Amino acid sequence: MPNSSFNKVGTLNQPHFDFDAWQKAIIPLEEAVTLDPQFAEDYALLAKAHSRIYYLRRDHTYDRHQKAERANAQALSVDAGNPEVQMAAGCFQLWVKKDRVAALSFLEQASKGLPNSVEVLKARASIYEVQGKFDLYIEAVEKATNISSLDGSCWTMLAFGYEFTYQFSKGLESITKSTAPDPEAAWNHLAKGFIYFQLKGADEDS
């Protein structure tokens, strides 16, 4: 919907977490759901914002937990079939409830309506990683890099996937691509260090 605040909080779709941006985005979202309690996508974004802040322990309080839970429940009650709502519900289950089975179920539903969502693909990959399903992890992240080739975090995730599966040359190629848009990103150097450690053992390169 063109007049949605969903279209005004692009900072939430950036590859790296910015606490101030997410916290500031909550204000217009709360105003939006007050004006239109039937707008599921704003509730979904609100749930995702609270969930992300809670998950990263910037505010790991019962109050933040409850805000995430209420927004998620309201989004689902308004439009459970909306893929944006399903994605947010998956994030809530993953980040707040720590229920990977429920999270993956919601994210797979969201994928049907958002087949090219990098956010959904990365969230699914994070679950596949913990489950040890590295073939599915790599498949999801490779698709994400094809969709958003300038998103350095996708290439970093792909490098870790190749490192997990001992495809070290591909991992180093991915690191080169992840470093281009964000040379100072710590995860790039960490992934490269892990790969060099696997290849050479502990030395100055790793």
Side-chain angles (χ1 to χ4, degrees), residues 163-183:
E163 189 256 332
F164 297 150
T165 52
Y166 304 100
Q167 301 180 71
F168 301 126
S169 60
K170 287 186 176 180
L172 291 173
E173 290 175 8
S174 297
I175 287 296
T176 299
K177 293 177 180 179
S178 71
T179 304
D182 193 357

Side-chain angles (χ1 to χ4, degrees), residues 46-202:
L46 189 58
K48 187 163 61 174
H50 286 307
S51 298
R52 188 69 166 167
I53 290 170
Y54 181 86
Y55 169 68
L56 293 175
R57 295 182 177 271
R58 296 304 300 267
D59 181 5
H60 198 71
T61 62
Y62 177 76
D63 180 60
R64 183 70 70 174
H65 180 289
Q66 289 300 100
K67 287 179 178 178
E69 189 159 40
R70 284 195 298 268
N72 179 64
Q74 186 64 26
L76 287 169
S77 71
V78 173
D79 190 358
N82 187 314
E84 297 287 353
V85 171
Q86 293 164 346
M87 175 173 62
C91 292
F92 169 75
Q93 292 293 336
L94 180 61
W95 295 338
V96 178
K97 292 299 188 180
K98 312 294 185 186
D99 187 338
R100 298 188 185 94
V101 174
L104 189 56
S105 176
F106 276 115
L107 292 168
E108 287 175 342
Q109 291 177 56
S111 294
K112 296 174 184 177
L114 299 169
N116 294 321
S117 169
V118 171
E119 185 175 7
V120 172
L121 288 165
K122 288 162 69 176
R124 286 171 54 195
S126 70
I127 297 173
Y128 296 142
E129 176 187 356
V130 176
Q131 294 176 333
K133 298 177 180 178
F134 299 125
D135 55 337
L136 294 178
Y137 175 96
I138 290 173
E139 180 182 332
V141 183
E142 282 181 339
K143 183 175 180 180
T145 61
N146 289 333
I147 295 168
S148 184
S149 61
L150 297 179
D151 184 340
S153 66
C154 291
W155 290 108
T156 303
M157 289 181 69
L158 187 56
F160 277 113
Y162 287 141
E163 189 256 332
F164 297 150
T165 52
Y166 304 100
Q167 301 180 71
F168 301 126
S169 60
K170 287 186 176 180
L172 291 173
E173 290 175 8
S174 297
I175 287 296
T176 299
K177 293 177 180 179
S178 71
T179 304
D182 193 357
E184 301 304 319
W187 284 105
N188 298 340
H189 301 293
L190 184 62
K192 189 174 184 178
F194 282 151
I195 292 173
Y196 276 130
F197 184 83
Q198 294 267 36
L199 286 169
K200 305 178 182 180

